[in-house]
């Protein structure tokens, strides 16, 4: 092997020159690509330093020197750019952290201001780059200008809104200039239909009267409408306008603010009030139109004459006040007010004052209250307008019901007050708990420091030549010290609970694997006691989403308590499922709990029946921590107990299903559906979208064809036989729906899948109705994309290609290679199956082999003794556990034998078990010998260790914690170290540091950390 390595380590000078030239060509190509493919682009190395960037970025800098930013950290470069809009350094730092924390790719839209003052919208994409081993190798950031797309979308929505209106309307910019209008408005004002917005504005302004009938300038009213609409979202005015021939027209103008790409637009509706202003008897048709308008508005509309008599109202007025008919409403209108208004003024006096003000202002706005016939007070926001009527005036009021708004305001005030009080109580409780929590944490630290010496000395004593009595004393010292450490750990966890630092870290996980792990610990705890552990749960696999580590802590706490307080009988763990929850029961035949102690069972520092339990070690914190963790999971725990007979704890947590595919990180090579002969067409007018879709298809070994328009797609489908067509929904000229209809009309039945980001209700049904076969939402996700291919591409076109995820070449270190080579040669052991069970994680599989080796060593005597004692219950339990362990490492044949023994023991078939147990044990022992021989050859590698930035930060923070002896922070950093996935010599070094921390040897841990920092 070494000769081969040496031979391959030399290359000729010519080869090296060629490689240098190739690299230079590649770098030149990369620079050209980055300058031409995107508006702006930057390539970062793994330390977020700039490797390349497009020359267009120099337009944002103070220098024209391209090399000025090469090698500079991205965030430092941001500070030198001429930041205008959007390019915020805090946003950049946050997005970099997302990529550094394993986000594969995401994008964000930002507004970027150019030096000319023009603002543009850019879609900035952040993409994580990995090397051939799947390891993080850098970041690619690029942006594309999507301003025109956004503007087109906004224009399309605006046109839909404009032309769907049944009223004359126009769209104004914030200066009041019309940018669009419908055909009704040009018809009303007799302006030519083919006019442009510029001509419309000029014409519209030129034909309007300079003054209104009350002497107010028309332009002043127009500006007030714009100002109020921009500030409040809505404004209204009554104005007199003119047609091009001078004919006067009266309008109620309603302006509503709508969002636009770079600000706001106003959509302005013109309610023609001309006919309403004429004599009612002379204009019946006009009266009907006015009534239709009034009854279609959600506002309360009331009309009165110049004497204050109510002469008309709309249906909303009747509905709001609960009045049966219009005649009653008009007759009794003044009865629908309370005696006093909210400002304390008499309602009658307020009405008189309003009429007097209207004679001067013509329009007033105010808040007031109505009162329904059943006495309910109805607050409203009213606008009252005086309008000319023949030779006098009438008054129209528009009132908006404020009950819901007022109720929401009151609820918000109540919530704010409750939150204020809760915050005061919380701060008070935190202040009271802070000193206690700090005392407990520091006390735990002070105890753990001498415990290091106690445990160490006990271990040394146990290695000496002691008498039986001396050995017992030393062993008791060690056991008691370990129990005390367990108590200290509970106190630290409780400190975290009280300080709010105990958090959940949810992941997708295999629930059955978690229960197998917990059961293994329980079996170990009862191994030296005269009690039996039983597990009852369904066989079906269950994959959940949640914090499996904290759930394991809950189960182990309940099980260890049950085992600790049970001297004989059994401890049972029972699992069951419903559609919405996981139910767990931990029951025992122990001493039980007195009924008077049950109400305070979950309170901190409670331990009951102290006299009877004086030999049981514990803080009384375990159940409090269990309760806190389950509460964070939106779960619950309860207890039933019969004193002297036993106890059952009932745990229920929400059943949040996980994604099995996300439990283990899948390597890019692990694509299980290949169709290289499939013929696929992707249709999209956006080149980025085409690139993404073709990239996904490449994962499945499919070389797709593309079309950038509906017309091109139509021609290609007619000339080629495709297995599947992915069709973009929105395209210019001929969209996806129209293209599909034409394809179907020509008789072609190729499966067509819609690609769309549309979230409009009914979009799916519309596309299927047009002839599409299925629907795929953007952004595309690999799992959904794969399912679509499997569903529509003929099955005979899929082939199996060999996987590369479990190759021995991925193992680092000569000793490890020899170890794994030996493992792969063990007869009856499938390494690939074992690796698949653990998501191709070699270190986890090695640990599984070690644990299984320990299980085999216990299994020999346990099964034989159970069979001799005719204890088929325990026989079945142990052989079931062995079956799972063997299946987990890939020993399928031995697992199958264990399964047959398990079935026979369930049927109490001792004859079958007696005949088949010896050959099964022989197979186990053979596997045991080969595993032991393989593990003997493992040795740790020495050499330089490379530390990631994340690990460096953790180790340096740990050193600071050691200096201040902050035990809570030390424990938090220890959890951070536990969350890392490490390998080889680095893993060994970190494990050594973690062991020292657990033993409170902070000086030793600091020394080991410094060694790592020195060699990294």
């Amino acid at each position: 092997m070494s000769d081969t390595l040496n031979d391959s380590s030399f290359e000729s000078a010519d080869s090296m020159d060629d490689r240098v030239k190739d690299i230079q060509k590649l770098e030149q190509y990369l620079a050209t690509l980055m300058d031409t493919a995107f508006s702006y682009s930057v390539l970062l190395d793994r330390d977020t330093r700039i490797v390349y960037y497009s020359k267009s970025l120099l337009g944002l800098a103070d220098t024209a020197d391209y090399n000025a930013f090469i090698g500079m950290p991205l965030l430092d470069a941001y500070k030198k750019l001429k930041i205008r809009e959007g390019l915020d350094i805090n946003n950049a730092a946050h997005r970099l952290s997302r990529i550094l924390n394993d986000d594969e790719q995401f994008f964000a839209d930002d507004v970027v201001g150019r030096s000319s003052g023009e603002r543009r919208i850019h879609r900035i994409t952040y993409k994580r780059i990995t090397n051939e081993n799947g390891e993080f190798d850098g970041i690619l950031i690029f942006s594309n200008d999507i301003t025109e797309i956004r503007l087109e979308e906004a224009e399309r929505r605006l046109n839909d809104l404009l032309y769907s209106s049944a009223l004359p309307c126009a769209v104004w910019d914030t200066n009041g200039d019309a940018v669009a209008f419908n055909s009704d408005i040009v018809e009303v004002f007799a302006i030519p239909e083919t006019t442009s917005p510029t001509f419309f504005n000029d014409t519209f302004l030129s034909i309007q009267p300079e003054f209104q009938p009350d002497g107010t300038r028309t332009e002043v009213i127009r500006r007030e409408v714009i100002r109020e609409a921009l500030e409040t979202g809505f404004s209204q005015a009554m104005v007199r306008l003119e047609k091009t021939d001078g004919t006067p027209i009266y309008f109620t103008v309603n302006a509503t603010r709508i969002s636009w790409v770079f600000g706001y637009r106003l959509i302005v509706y013109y309610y023609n009030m001309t006919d309403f202003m004429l004599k009612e008897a002379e204009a019946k048709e006009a009266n009907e139109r006015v009534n239709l308008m009034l009854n279609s508005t959600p506002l309360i509309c009331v009309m009165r004459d110049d004497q204050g008599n109510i002469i008309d109202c709309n249906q909303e007025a009747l509905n709001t006040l609960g009045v049966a008919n219009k005649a009653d409403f008009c007759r009794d209108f003044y009865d629908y007010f309370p005696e006093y208004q909210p400002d304390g003024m008499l309602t009658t006096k307020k009405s008189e004052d309003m009429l007097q003000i209207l004679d001067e202002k013509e329009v007033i706005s105010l808040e007031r209250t109505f009162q329904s016939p059943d006495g309910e007070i109805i607050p409203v926001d009213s606008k009252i307008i005086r309008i000319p009527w023949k030779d006098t005036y009438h008054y129209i009021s528009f009132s908006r019901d404020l009950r819901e708004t007022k109720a929401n305001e009151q609820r918000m005030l109540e919530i704010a007050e409750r939150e204020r009080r809760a915050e005061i109580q919380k701060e008070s409780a935190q202040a009271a708990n802070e000193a206690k929590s700090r005392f407990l944490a520091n006390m735990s630290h002070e105890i753990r420091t001498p415990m290091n010496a106690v445990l160490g000395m006990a271990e040394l004593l146990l290695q000496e030549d002691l008498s039986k009595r001396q050995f017992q004393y030393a062993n008791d010292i060690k056991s008691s010290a370990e129990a005390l450490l367990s108590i200290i750990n509970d106190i630290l966890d409780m400190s975290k609970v009280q300080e709010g630092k105990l958090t959940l870290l949810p992941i997708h996980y295999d629930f059955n694997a978690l229960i197998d792990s917990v059961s293994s610990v329980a079996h170990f705890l009862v191994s030296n006691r005269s009690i039996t552990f039983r597990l009852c749960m369904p066989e079906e696999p269950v994959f959940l989403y949640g914090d499996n580590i904290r759930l394991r802590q809950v189960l182990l706490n309940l099980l260890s308590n049950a085992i600790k307080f049970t001297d004989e009988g059994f401890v049972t763990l029972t699992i069951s499922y419903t559609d919405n929850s996981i139910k767990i029961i931990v029951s025992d035949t122990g001493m039980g709990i007195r009924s008077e102690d049950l109400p305070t069972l979950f309170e901190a520092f409670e331990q009951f029946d102290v006299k009877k339990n004086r030999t049981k070690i514990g803080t009384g914190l375990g159940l409090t921590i269990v309760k806190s963790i389950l509460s964070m999971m939106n779960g619950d725990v309860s207890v039933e107990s019969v004193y002297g007979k036993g106890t059952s704890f009932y745990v229920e947590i929400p059943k949040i299903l996980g994604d099995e595919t996300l439990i283990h990180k899948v390597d890019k090579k692990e694509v299980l559906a290949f169709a290289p002969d499939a013929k696929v067409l992707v249709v999209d007018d956006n080149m980025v979208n085409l690139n993404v879709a073709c990239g996904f298809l490449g994962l499945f070994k499919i070389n797709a064809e593309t079309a950038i328009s509906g017309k091109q797609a139509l021609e290609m489908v007619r000339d080629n036989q495709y297995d599947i067509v992915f069709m973009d929904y929105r395209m210019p000229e001929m969209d996806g729906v129209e293209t599909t209809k034409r394809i179907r009309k020509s008789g072609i039945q190729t499966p067509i899948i819609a690609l769309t980001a549309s979230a409009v209700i009914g979009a799916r049904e519309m596309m299927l109705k047009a002839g599409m076969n299925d629907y795929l939402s953007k952004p595309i996700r690999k799992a959904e994309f794969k399912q679509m291919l499997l569903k529509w591409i003929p099955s005979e076109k899929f082939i199996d290609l060999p996987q590369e995820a479990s190759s021995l070449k991925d193992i680092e270190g000569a000793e490890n290679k020899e170890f794994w080579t030996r493992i792969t040669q063990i007869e009856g052991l499938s390494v690939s199956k074992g690796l698949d069970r653990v998501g191709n994680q070699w270190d986890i599989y090695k640990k599984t082999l070690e644990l299984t080796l320990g299980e085999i060593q216990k299994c020999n005597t346990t099964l034989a003794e159970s069979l001799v004692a005719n204890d088929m219950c325990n026989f079945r339990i142990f052989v079931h556990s062995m079956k799972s362990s063997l299946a987990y490492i890939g020993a399928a044949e031995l697992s199958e034998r264990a399964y047959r023994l398990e079935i026979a023991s369930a049927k109490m078939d001792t004859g079958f078990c007696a005949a088949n147990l010896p050959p099964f044990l022989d197979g186990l022992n053979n596997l045991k010998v080969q595993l032991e021989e393989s593990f003997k050859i493992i040795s740790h590698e020495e050499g330089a260790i490379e530390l990631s930035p994340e690990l460096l930060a953790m180790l340096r923070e740990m050193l600071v914690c050691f200096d201040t002896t902050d035990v809570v922070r030390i424990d938090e950093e220890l959890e951070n170290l536990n969350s890392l996935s490490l390998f080889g010599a680095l893993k060994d070094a970190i494990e050594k540091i973690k062991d020292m921390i657990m033993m409170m040897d902070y000086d030793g841990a600091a020394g080991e950390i410094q060694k790592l920092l020195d060699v990294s």
Side-chain angles (χ1 to χ4, degrees), residues 696-708:
F696 271 113
L697 288 166
L699 294 175
F700 303 94
K701 309 300 184 187
I702 297 174
N703 187 16
E705 297 181 13
T706 62
I708 61 172

mmCIF file of all heavy atoms in Angstrom, residues 696-708:
data_model
loop_
_atom_site.group_PDB
_atom_site.id
_atom_site.type_symbol
_atom_site.label_atom_id
_atom_site.label_comp_id
_atom_site.label_asym_id
_atom_site.label_seq_id
_atom_site.Cartn_x
_atom_site.Cartn_y
_atom_site.Cartn_z
ATOM 1 N N PHE A 696 -31.770 19.700 -10.820
ATOM 2 C CA PHE A 696 -32.452 18.626 -10.107
ATOM 3 C C PHE A 696 -32.524 17.369 -10.970
ATOM 4 O O PHE A 696 -32.300 16.252 -10.490
ATOM 5 C CB PHE A 696 -33.868 19.060 -9.727
ATOM 6 C CG PHE A 696 -33.954 19.748 -8.400
ATOM 7 C CD1 PHE A 696 -34.289 21.079 -8.306
ATOM 8 C CD2 PHE A 696 -33.689 19.059 -7.226
ATOM 9 C CE1 PHE A 696 -34.367 21.719 -7.086
ATOM 10 C CE2 PHE A 696 -33.766 19.687 -6.001
ATOM 11 C CZ PHE A 696 -34.102 21.016 -5.938
ATOM 12 N N LEU A 697 -32.841 17.553 -12.235
ATOM 13 C CA LEU A 697 -32.929 16.390 -13.123
ATOM 14 C C LEU A 697 -31.578 15.712 -13.265
ATOM 15 O O LEU A 697 -31.489 14.484 -13.403
ATOM 16 C CB LEU A 697 -33.461 16.827 -14.488
ATOM 17 C CG LEU A 697 -34.952 17.201 -14.503
ATOM 18 C CD1 LEU A 697 -35.316 17.942 -15.775
ATOM 19 C CD2 LEU A 697 -35.809 15.953 -14.359
ATOM 20 N N GLY A 698 -30.491 16.509 -13.208
ATOM 21 C CA GLY A 698 -29.159 15.932 -13.289
ATOM 22 C C GLY A 698 -28.871 14.986 -12.138
ATOM 23 O O GLY A 698 -28.117 14.022 -12.279
ATOM 24 N N LEU A 699 -29.475 15.249 -10.980
ATOM 25 C CA LEU A 699 -29.292 14.335 -9.848
ATOM 26 C C LEU A 699 -29.817 12.945 -10.168
ATOM 27 O O LEU A 699 -29.365 11.956 -9.600
ATOM 28 C CB LEU A 699 -30.017 14.875 -8.614
ATOM 29 C CG LEU A 699 -29.481 16.180 -8.013
ATOM 30 C CD1 LEU A 699 -30.388 16.632 -6.875
ATOM 31 C CD2 LEU A 699 -28.060 15.986 -7.500
ATOM 32 N N PHE A 700 -30.768 12.879 -11.066
ATOM 33 C CA PHE A 700 -31.368 11.602 -11.429
ATOM 34 C C PHE A 700 -30.831 11.087 -12.773
ATOM 35 O O PHE A 700 -31.434 10.228 -13.409
ATOM 36 C CB PHE A 700 -32.894 11.760 -11.501
ATOM 37 C CG PHE A 700 -33.497 12.262 -10.227
ATOM 38 C CD1 PHE A 700 -33.720 13.618 -10.022
ATOM 39 C CD2 PHE A 700 -33.804 11.395 -9.200
ATOM 40 C CE1 PHE A 700 -34.252 14.093 -8.835
ATOM 41 C CE2 PHE A 700 -34.344 11.867 -8.007
ATOM 42 C CZ PHE A 700 -34.561 13.206 -7.826
ATOM 43 N N LYS A 701 -29.662 11.638 -13.174
ATOM 44 C CA LYS A 701 -28.979 11.217 -14.409
ATOM 45 C C LYS A 701 -29.821 11.507 -15.653
ATOM 46 O O LYS A 701 -29.717 10.796 -16.650
ATOM 47 C CB LYS A 701 -28.630 9.724 -14.361
ATOM 48 C CG LYS A 701 -27.885 9.270 -13.103
ATOM 49 C CD LYS A 701 -26.566 9.974 -12.914
ATOM 50 C CE LYS A 701 -25.809 9.433 -11.700
ATOM 51 N NZ LYS A 701 -24.608 10.196 -11.391
ATOM 52 N N ILE A 702 -30.652 12.556 -15.584
ATOM 53 C CA ILE A 702 -31.495 12.913 -16.714
ATOM 54 C C ILE A 702 -30.953 14.184 -17.349
ATOM 55 O O ILE A 702 -30.790 15.199 -16.678
ATOM 56 C CB ILE A 702 -32.958 13.131 -16.282
ATOM 57 C CG1 ILE A 702 -33.538 11.835 -15.724
ATOM 58 C CG2 ILE A 702 -33.812 13.636 -17.443
ATOM 59 C CD1 ILE A 702 -34.929 11.992 -15.134
ATOM 60 N N ASN A 703 -30.666 14.116 -18.641
ATOM 61 C CA ASN A 703 -30.175 15.270 -19.389
ATOM 62 C C ASN A 703 -31.366 15.894 -20.107
ATOM 63 O O ASN A 703 -31.800 15.429 -21.153
ATOM 64 C CB ASN A 703 -29.098 14.839 -20.387
ATOM 65 C CG ASN A 703 -28.433 16.025 -21.058
ATOM 66 O OD1 ASN A 703 -28.550 17.158 -20.589
ATOM 67 N ND2 ASN A 703 -27.763 15.775 -22.157
ATOM 68 N N ALA A 704 -31.938 16.947 -19.503
ATOM 69 C CA ALA A 704 -33.197 17.506 -19.986
ATOM 70 C C ALA A 704 -32.981 18.469 -21.148
ATOM 71 O O ALA A 704 -31.925 19.088 -21.281
ATOM 72 C CB ALA A 704 -33.915 18.216 -18.845
ATOM 73 N N GLU A 705 -34.023 18.603 -21.973
ATOM 74 C CA GLU A 705 -34.069 19.633 -23.000
ATOM 75 C C GLU A 705 -34.878 20.809 -22.451
ATOM 76 O O GLU A 705 -35.714 20.634 -21.555
ATOM 77 C CB GLU A 705 -34.713 19.089 -24.280
ATOM 78 C CG GLU A 705 -33.902 17.949 -24.914
ATOM 79 C CD GLU A 705 -34.538 17.443 -26.199
ATOM 80 O OE1 GLU A 705 -35.446 18.132 -26.722
ATOM 81 O OE2 GLU A 705 -34.144 16.362 -26.670
ATOM 82 N N THR A 706 -34.649 22.014 -22.998
ATOM 83 C CA THR A 706 -35.305 23.200 -22.453
ATOM 84 C C THR A 706 -35.939 24.036 -23.560
ATOM 85 O O THR A 706 -35.514 23.995 -24.726
ATOM 86 C CB THR A 706 -34.299 24.080 -21.692
ATOM 87 O OG1 THR A 706 -33.270 24.530 -22.601
ATOM 88 C CG2 THR A 706 -33.670 23.304 -20.542
ATOM 89 N N ALA A 707 -36.968 24.783 -23.165
ATOM 90 C CA ALA A 707 -37.611 25.753 -24.047
ATOM 91 C C ALA A 707 -37.882 27.000 -23.228
ATOM 92 O O ALA A 707 -38.254 26.909 -22.054
ATOM 93 C CB ALA A 707 -38.911 25.182 -24.615
ATOM 94 N N ILE A 708 -37.703 28.173 -23.838
ATOM 95 C CA ILE A 708 -37.833 29.421 -23.089
ATOM 96 C C ILE A 708 -39.137 30.152 -23.393
ATOM 97 O O ILE A 708 -39.315 31.288 -22.966
ATOM 98 C CB ILE A 708 -36.633 30.349 -23.358
ATOM 99 C CG1 ILE A 708 -36.544 30.712 -24.853
ATOM 100 C CG2 ILE A 708 -35.351 29.729 -22.871
ATOM 101 C CD1 ILE A 708 -35.503 31.767 -25.157
#
